[in-house]
Amino acid sequence: MQHICSSFLLTSAALLLCLSTVDAEALSDVFSPHDITRIRDLLLSTEPYGELSTPYHVLRGLQALGTSSSENKDGFKRNACAYALSHIDTSSDLQSLFYISSIAAELGSSCLPDVIKKKSHIQSVVSDALETEQTMEKLYYSTSISTNLGLDVNSESVLASILTALDDDETIQNTALAFLTASQLPDFDLTAIYELVEDVVAQADETPTTLYYDSLETTSNVITGIFAMATKTGEAPAITSEQATKFGNYLLTNTYTVDVARLAYVLAAATALDRNQYVVPCSLLLTSSGYVSRANPDIQVRLATILGSPPPTEFTVTVMTVTHQEGDETLPKKKLKSKNGLYSYNLFQDVSSPGVYTLTFSTESVGGSPVVKLTETPLQVTVSFEVTIGSAELSLSDREHGTTAKKISLEYPNSSKETLEADQHSKVVMKFTLIDKETKKSALVHQAFVRLTRGQHEIFFVATANKKTLQYTFELDMVTAAEDFGSLSGSYAMSLIVGDFALENPFSWDIGSVSLLFAGSTTDTGDEDYTYRAKPEIQHMFRLEEKLPPKVISSTFTVLVLSPLALLLVLWVGIGFNVSGLGTGGLWAVMFHISLGGIFVVYYLFWLKLNMFDTMKLLALLSVPTFLAGNRMLKRIASSNQ
Amino acid sequence: MSSENIVSVVQQFLQSYRSKTPTKLKLVDAYLAYIMLTGIIQFVYCALVGTFPFNSFLSGFISCVGSFVLGVCLRIQTNPQNRSQFLHISPERAFADFLFAHVVLHLVVINFIG
């Protein structure tokens, strides 16, 4: 496993290294002929039209794909023209007239004269629209209408209006429309607008492989606008080859849409990238299979621009480096010759061992060319091979002494009929070699596993190879492996699994069965029960009340506690209680005693059922008469004493 | 000899107590003895059967102790021999204080008895 992981990491690291030095110097893909046919069929099957924008976009798309014979073309053209003409009189907005005029201009002499007949109506609409507000969009539409119909355009005023509109609202879309508008102005100094190109490109969102703006429409307009300006001014645009390639990659991610408008935008921009004189992104494509072997050693590549066509000038392609996944690098620096646009290279001139290889290419044009030059474009190719088992034997040896008790020689693809019996003192050893069918030499693979199964249980081991002798060994030490097996003794089926990235015939070989007896073997417990069940219920135990003393004792003591009262009465009588003096207080005394008695009744009720608040209220009530009566009573007693 | 002395001291004490102590004070003393006895019996009970419920025991015991203290105060204040110290407090006034304090004490006791 480690072997595989490390080589995978090496491969991906190597690839990343290759790609990171030059992010996207080549396009990720190009339009295939199948793509072109599919899109063309899609565009031609949009009738009947629901709105003016549809035929406009369809025609724009078809123009980008180039004219080719199509069965229904004339009928298609007539329908488009008729549809456009039917809408002229009813259209009073600038956009509809823009569509109509563009459709007519595209269809040419079969449609344009009929539209020009209505030019007075069209011109009045245009002038009305421009009177109110001169937005960038309106300027674009009006200028395009005039150009389409072959009318005069006042370049100076239009340019001034463009600059004013840009000052008001400087968005990317408006700048793109400014490019498209300015490129239609005949013979005028457009430097003020053209110098905005670099800024606009710098504002695009970027990923390692693409460049784009927030909508496909804006991106498309920017690209077509930049190259329209380049064509107009005759100066190279301020866009690098990498930026152009990244724009191309973005367009290529949008080719599978079925929306006609989006297709038109993609195609128009792709055409601008394909057919300009300054920066043309290209791609290096593998036309042969990604798998080569000695029987089929040739790799074929071709150069293509975004719409799938070969570059207009002659190019030489050079194989710069050939790197094996393990890291071995060769620098063939071979120049490849082109035969009908295909460049062939026999990989086996420079490599011999199987595996995944990364080739880097560079291109060079014979003369000067707008097509982007490639310096280090990578391509991945796999050299495959087939293996078979050479010699193989299974042996049982003693753990401590190393003596071999039994040897069984194996023959691929047959299973062994003998069963090997191993106990805790022994070691199961398997030795085998893998032979490359073609070179007849020993080979190493990424995956050589030994699998032992018994019912549901399955244990894998890795067979390790000796780097010098290229022989694989698998050892099963019965003591150390007991943990892996869970000490489950029994008869196990043994098989060898061989696999590799570059292997054409990975296989699993059923070797036979072995009987393993582990020390302290456990009985087969079966599968663990993972079902969830409720745990036993916990009964809540309330706090136990403390035991009260038995009622006999409490009752006895209640009597005992009250008994001194009797003693008190006896003593008082003995001492000489002034019974006759009870009347001294008079009425007040009676009232006092009654109130005091009332207070004690309140206390009794408080003990039984009242709460503190109620008690306090009652006490407050009772304390008034108690105090008054008591006060008067004591005064009387005091005065009577004197 | 010492035992004879003790006996004679006690006898003398009792003699002078009987003759010289006013009746009112003797009544109060009897009351104090009663309170003390009640408290002792409560304490013995608690020692016997344990402190559950503790709040009831405390309330009863504190009632005894509080009453005893208030009784002692009353005795001190009404003793004619102490009259010079309590010029502003007449015996009736002392008795009124005694009553009021008892009312408050018993409110607390009843609250705590549970």
Side-chain angles (χ1 to χ4, degrees):
Chain A
M1 275 309 217
Q2 280 178 335
H3 186 67
I4 299 162
C5 283
S6 61
S7 55
F8 175 73
L9 280 169
L10 271 170
T11 317
S12 38
L15 270 172
L16 277 170
L17 258 162
C18 277
L19 294 172
S20 63
T21 49
V22 188
D23 270 350
E25 66 166 14
L27 290 169
S28 54
D29 199 356
V30 298
F31 281 79
S32 67
H34 173 75
D35 285 331
I36 308 268
T37 321
R38 173 181 59 82
I39 295 172
R40 181 176 285 123
D41 289 340
L42 222 154
L43 289 172
L44 288 173
S45 59
T46 48
E47 291 180 85
Y49 302 119
E51 46 182 7
L52 275 170
S53 62
T54 316
Y56 163 70
H57 287 303
V58 166
L59 283 169
R60 198 160 173 238
L62 287 173
Q63 190 240 356
L65 293 175
T67 53
S68 79
S69 58
S70 172
E71 281 178 8
N72 218 8
K73 220 39 196 316
D74 287 333
F76 171 80
K77 283 183 178 178
R78 265 190 310 231
N79 292 342
C81 186
Y83 187 81
L85 285 172
S86 66
H87 279 79
I88 297 185
D89 292 321
T90 52
S91 301
S92 55
D93 67 302
L94 218 47
Q95 193 186 49
S96 309
L97 291 177
F98 164 71
Y99 288 142
I100 293 168
S101 62
S102 304
I103 293 166
E106 189 54 48
L107 295 171
S109 51
S110 59
C111 198
L112 200 55
D114 293 320
V115 175
I116 293 178
K117 285 180 199 161
K118 308 272 180 165
K119 74 174 179 186
S120 56
H121 163 71
I122 296 170
Q123 273 174 321
S124 69
V125 172
V126 169
S127 52
D128 281 341
L130 288 176
E131 250 173 42
T132 49
E133 199 194 349
Q134 298 209 346
T135 63
M136 199 61 243
E137 196 183 62
K138 282 192 185 177
L139 286 170
Y140 171 60
Y141 287 152
S142 57
T143 315
S144 305
I145 291 168
S146 305
T147 318
N148 286 332
L149 300 180
L151 304 170
D152 285 330
V153 175
N154 187 341
S155 304
E156 199 171 342
S157 74
V158 170
L159 189 62
S161 309
I162 291 173
L163 290 168
T164 322
L166 274 181
D167 276 337
D168 286 339
D169 192 14
E170 194 165 354
T171 62
I172 306 277
Q173 171 74 334
N174 277 356
T175 320
L177 290 177
F179 294 152
L180 289 168
T181 317
S183 62
Q184 295 175 54
L185 300 175
D187 298 322
F188 208 80
D189 181 17
L190 304 169
T191 330
I193 309 221
Y194 200 30
E195 62 193 11
L196 298 170
V197 168
E198 199 171 354
D199 262 352
V200 168
V201 176
Q203 284 180 60
D205 295 322
E206 197 167 352
T207 72
T209 51
T210 62
L211 211 60
Y212 59 96
Y213 300 95
D214 52 3
S215 75
L216 177 61
E217 184 183 340
T218 311
T219 318
S220 170
N221 284 342
V222 166
I223 298 169
T224 48
I226 290 174
F227 288 107
M229 288 295 286
T231 314
K232 184 78 195 182
T233 57
E235 286 169 34
I239 179 169
T240 65
S241 51
E242 190 182 336
Q243 287 168 331
T245 308
K246 283 189 171 182
F247 273 132
N249 282 336
Y250 171 71
L251 294 173
L252 286 163
T253 63
N254 282 292
T255 53
Y256 283 91
T257 174
V258 292
D259 180 40
V260 170
R262 290 178 72 85
L263 278 174
Y265 287 127
V266 168
L267 290 171
T271 313
L273 284 172
D274 195 76
R275 292 181 199 154
N276 70 82
Q277 303 293 321
Y278 305 99
V279 183
V280 178
C282 68
S283 181
L284 198 68
L285 306 163
L286 193 66
T287 50
S288 61
S289 159
Y291 282 81
V292 293
S293 60
R294 268 181 211 283
N296 307 312
D298 283 329
I299 299 169
Q300 272 178 347
V301 294
R302 73 175 176 108
L303 263 180
T305 56
I306 192 169
L307 286 177
S309 38
T313 55
E314 188 70 33
F315 266 82
T316 54
V317 174
T318 315
V319 181
M320 300 296 284
T321 62
V322 175
T323 317
H324 188 246
Q325 72 205 31
E326 307 266 308
D328 305 325
E329 204 181 6
T330 338
L331 303 164
K333 291 220 169 60
K334 282 216 173 67
K335 285 217 167 96
L336 306 177
K337 292 212 184 76
S338 137
K339 226 183 194 180
N340 301 329
L342 296 171
Y343 301 82
S344 296
Y345 171 57
N346 185 338
L347 188 57
F348 278 89
Q349 292 170 7
D350 300 303
V351 276
S352 53
S353 44
V356 180
Y357 286 91
T358 309
L359 283 66
T360 59
F361 295 85
S362 73
T363 60
E364 193 71 44
S365 71
V366 174
S369 174
V371 176
V372 169
K373 284 190 220 332
L374 305 175
T375 54
E376 265 188 317
T377 306
L379 275 177
Q380 208 173 358
V381 160
T382 311
V383 174
S384 61
F385 65 116
E386 279 187 68
V387 288
T388 182
I389 304 279
S391 61
E393 67 175 19
L394 190 64
S395 57
L396 189 72
S397 53
D398 193 272
R399 267 193 81 237
E400 283 136 43
H401 306 299
T403 53
T404 315
K406 194 174 181 183
K407 248 193 204 176
I408 306 170
S409 68
L410 304 163
E411 204 186 297
Y412 175 74
N414 305 323
S415 311
S416 159
K417 297 206 175 41
E418 290 178 64
T419 309
L420 211 64
E421 281 175 20
D423 61 7
Q424 72 245 44
H425 303 298
S426 46
K427 195 159 69 163
V428 179
V429 178
M430 179 173 163
K431 289 196 168 96
F432 62 94
T433 53
L434 296 170
I435 307 287
D436 186 326
K437 277 189 187 168
E438 206 151 335
T439 61
K440 306 280 189 284
K441 286 194 213 155
S442 297
L444 295 179
V445 291
H446 278 147
Q447 297 165 334
F449 299 138
V450 175
R451 178 178 178 236
L452 290 151
T453 47
R454 181 171 185 271
Q456 296 287 350
H457 300 282
E458 180 183 73
I459 302 103
F460 282 94
F461 293 94
V462 181
T464 50
N466 183 316
K467 288 273 162 33
K468 291 203 193 76
T469 62
L470 298 181
Q471 189 190 49
Y472 278 92
T473 316
F474 158 67
E475 267 185 27
L476 182 65
D477 186 322
M478 291 297 286
V479 172
T480 52
E483 201 186 324
D484 292 323
F485 284 87
S487 293
L488 272 174
S489 305
S491 168
Y492 283 82
M494 190 165 159
S495 54
L496 177 70
I497 299 170
V498 172
D500 193 277
F501 289 134
L503 196 61
E504 278 177 41
N505 66 330
F507 60 87
S508 168
W509 175 30
D510 183 15
I511 297 169
S513 56
V514 287
S515 177
L516 303 173
L517 184 68
F518 294 101
S521 59
T522 56
T523 50
D524 203 342
T525 52
D527 290 319
E528 273 183 40
D529 188 11
Y530 288 105
T531 58
Y532 290 98
R533 253 183 246 99
K535 285 194 169 174
E537 193 178 339
I538 304 168
Q539 293 292 345
H540 179 74
M541 282 171 59
F542 287 99
R543 188 170 67 95
L544 292 166
E545 281 193 22
E546 279 189 46
K547 278 172 86 175
L548 285 170
K551 279 215 171 126
V552 178
I553 300 181
S554 336
S555 312
T556 316
F557 266 89
T558 312
V559 172
L560 271 177
V561 158
L562 292 171
S563 59
L565 194 61
L567 178 66
L568 176 68
L569 286 171
V570 165
L571 277 173
W572 271 355
V573 167
I575 291 165
F577 200 88
N578 190 2
V579 182
S580 57
L582 277 172
T584 335
L587 187 64
W588 294 118
V590 173
M591 221 179 107
F592 169 72
H593 280 95
I594 289 171
S595 314
L596 196 65
I599 286 178
F600 285 118
V601 166
V602 168
Y603 282 168
Y604 182 66
L605 289 174
F606 177 39
W607 181 39
L608 286 184
K609 48 180 168 176
L610 290 177
N611 57 36
M612 185 57 105
F613 298 110
D614 294 334
T615 317
M616 287 310 237
K617 281 183 218 162
L618 287 168
L619 274 177
L621 275 173
L622 275 170
S623 63
V624 172
T626 315
F627 176 73
L628 282 171
N631 197 9
R632 297 276 192 282
M633 174 187 80
L634 285 170
K635 266 195 190 155
R636 268 193 78 177
I637 294 172
S639 61
S640 72
N641 273 349
Q642 275 154 4
Chain B
M1 286 292 275
S2 56
S3 59
E4 267 187 23
N5 279 342
I6 286 173
V7 168
S8 62
V9 163
V10 169
Q11 270 182 336
Q12 246 189 336
F13 167 70
L14 282 173
Q15 179 89 23
S16 83
Y17 178 76
R18 272 201 207 103
S19 56
K20 289 197 189 145
T21 319
T23 318
K24 276 190 187 166
L25 291 182
K26 279 189 196 160
L27 288 172
V28 176
D29 288 340
Y31 169 74
L32 289 174
Y34 151 70
I35 293 287
M36 196 162 75
L37 206 57
T38 313
I40 286 168
I41 294 173
Q42 280 188 354
F43 189 76
V44 165
Y45 175 74
C46 174
L48 269 179
V49 296
T51 55
F52 182 77
F54 197 48
N55 57 305
S56 309
F57 162 67
L58 277 180
S59 130
F61 197 68
I62 282 167
S63 163
C64 290
V65 169
S67 304
F68 189 82
V69 166
L70 289 170
V72 167
C73 285
L74 180 66
R75 193 184 192 281
I76 291 171
Q77 284 177 343
T78 53
N79 198 345
Q81 286 174 334
N82 294 339
R83 190 85 188 115
S84 56
Q85 286 175 343
F86 296 104
L87 279 172
H88 297 287
I89 302 172
S90 63
E92 284 73 30
R93 172 68 199 278
F95 187 63
D97 287 343
F98 172 81
L99 285 173
F100 178 68
H102 261 281
V103 167
V104 172
L105 174 69
H106 278 83
L107 176 67
V108 172
V109 162
I110 295 290
N111 186 30
F112 205 52
I113 203 162

